[in-house]
Structures are given as structure tokens and as C-alpha cells.
Amino acid sequence: MKKIMMTMAAALMAVSMNAQNMYVGGSLGFTTTSYDGKTTNSTLKFIPEFGVSFNDLMGVGMEIGYSSSTKEATEPKLTNSTFTFAPYFRLTPLHWGKVSVFADGKFALSMNNNEQAGPNGNAVDNKTNTFGIYVQPGFAYNLNDKFTLVSKFGNLLGYRSSKPDADGAKATNTFSFMDLSNNVQFGFYYNF
């Protein structure tokens, strides 16, 4: 898997040499919820992004995301952390002044670790590897030549295969169509 990631990163860097526009940015989010003051759920998402545009219609980019969620109760404490590597091809067919509509064809690799605190302070780890192919729509609003606000949400079409990292484990496969309410992101880009 490391070879695949390095190959994709090298290809993106080589392609960026012929780019019309480069951007860097991403999104950041934090949520905390308390139930009766006893159980607290907290989630942190950090998704940096880099991309290049060849023209007004096409470009490529990459997201490298990290999310962590914690559920704290009297016992046990649950922690879930996910690292995601997601290169994409962007098609931007619609432009209205400062607003543009795009769709990202995304290939995502994720490594997830669920850790549960056990008795006597021992922790139990459950690791899962996931790959997916998605078409994710989004909007961009150019504030000026340097800054752009971006919103991405759900997916128009998607496939995901998730398998626990254990001997004899079976994969869970998920197909989705027009699932636009899931995975909403807001962020910004700095344009070079």
C-alpha cells in the first residue's frame, strides 16, 4: 500500500508541473456532545488538501485526512482514529461568475483503529482497512484571486469495501447512489 501511495504522490507532482493553477487548503471540524453529564462524545476531523487545475474544466488533487472520535463514559472508554489518503480527478463543468460546481472522482484508502479500554487499563485494538471509489459533488466560491470557499457533500455514486485486519475476517461491501447527506465538508483553498 505504501508503494501505491508513493506512486500516486509522484504522479501528482509530475502532473502539477504543467498546471495552470495550484491550490492548498482543506477543512477542519470539531464536535462534542454530552449525555446527562456522564457520557461525552468528541470528534475531530482534519483534512488537508492539495490540487492542481489544468484549465477551467479539469484538475487533480489529493486529500490526506485524519479523524479521531472518543466516547467517554464511566467504563469503557472508546477511541476511534482514522487516517485517509484520497487522490481525485476533478471535473468542473459549471461556472456562474464566482461560483463553480464540481465533481471529484475519488479513490480513497483508509486505515481505522478502534481502541477500547479494558479492565486493569489494558486496551483492545480492532483495526480495519477500507478502500473506496466515489463521485463526490461540491461547490466553490472564489472570494478573490487567492482565496476560495469550498463545500463538498456525500457522494453521487460510491463503492466501499471494508475488512478487519484479522485472520479469517470477511469484507463488508457497500454500494451507494445519491447519498448526498453523508460526509458534509466545508473548507477553503489558497490559490497560487
Side-chain angles (χ1 to χ4, degrees):
M1 184 155 49
K2 289 182 183 179
K3 289 182 182 180
I4 292 172
M5 287 188 217
M6 294 303 292
T7 301
M8 289 181 181
L12 181 62
M13 291 173 65
V15 167
S16 68
M17 293 180 186
N18 294 325
Q20 177 186 7
N21 181 35
M22 290 190 283
Y23 56 88
V24 64
S27 59
L28 176 69
F30 177 75
T31 304
T32 185
T33 307
S34 179
Y35 302 98
D36 295 330
K38 296 177 182 176
T39 303
T40 302
N41 293 345
S42 301
T43 303
L44 171 68
K45 289 185 179 182
F46 178 60
I47 307 171
E49 186 174 346
F50 171 80
V52 294
S53 299
F54 305 121
N55 50 43
D56 288 341
L57 182 62
M58 294 183 294
V60 294
M62 180 180 356
E63 292 179 349
I64 300 173
Y66 174 77
S67 67
S68 176
S69 61
T70 303
K71 181 176 181 181
E72 295 184 25
T74 51
E75 281 295 329
K77 178 179 176 180
L78 303 172
T79 303
N80 180 313
S81 58
T82 304
F83 175 77
T84 303
F85 174 78
Y88 60 83
F89 172 79
R90 176 167 293 173
L91 187 64
T92 311
L94 303 173
H95 299 273
W96 295 292
K98 294 185 173 191
V99 177
S100 58
V101 178
F102 62 84
D104 290 345
K106 190 179 291 187
F107 176 76
L109 299 170
S110 299
M111 286 129 313
N112 179 278
N113 185 31
N114 288 312
E115 183 178 303
Q116 180 174 347
N120 302 322
N122 297 329
V124 177
D125 287 340
N126 296 310
K127 297 181 181 178
T128 305
N129 296 315
T130 304
F131 79 90
I133 300 171
Y134 309 96
V135 177
Q136 184 178 40
F139 295 95
Y141 179 78
N142 293 322
L143 295 171
N144 54 41
D145 290 342
K146 294 292 182 188
F147 293 99
T148 303
L149 295 177
V150 180
S151 175
K152 300 179 189 179
F153 49 96
N155 61 67
L156 296 173
L157 185 63
Y159 168 76
R160 181 181 68 195
S161 180
S162 182
K163 185 177 178 184
D165 190 9
D167 292 336
K170 305 239 185 245
T172 300
N173 300 309
T174 305
F175 294 93
S176 58
F177 177 70
M178 296 298 286
D179 182 13
L180 302 178
S181 63
N182 186 22
N183 195 20
V184 177
Q185 298 175 10
F186 293 97
F188 76 96
Y189 293 153
Y190 177 78
N191 304 299
F192 294 94

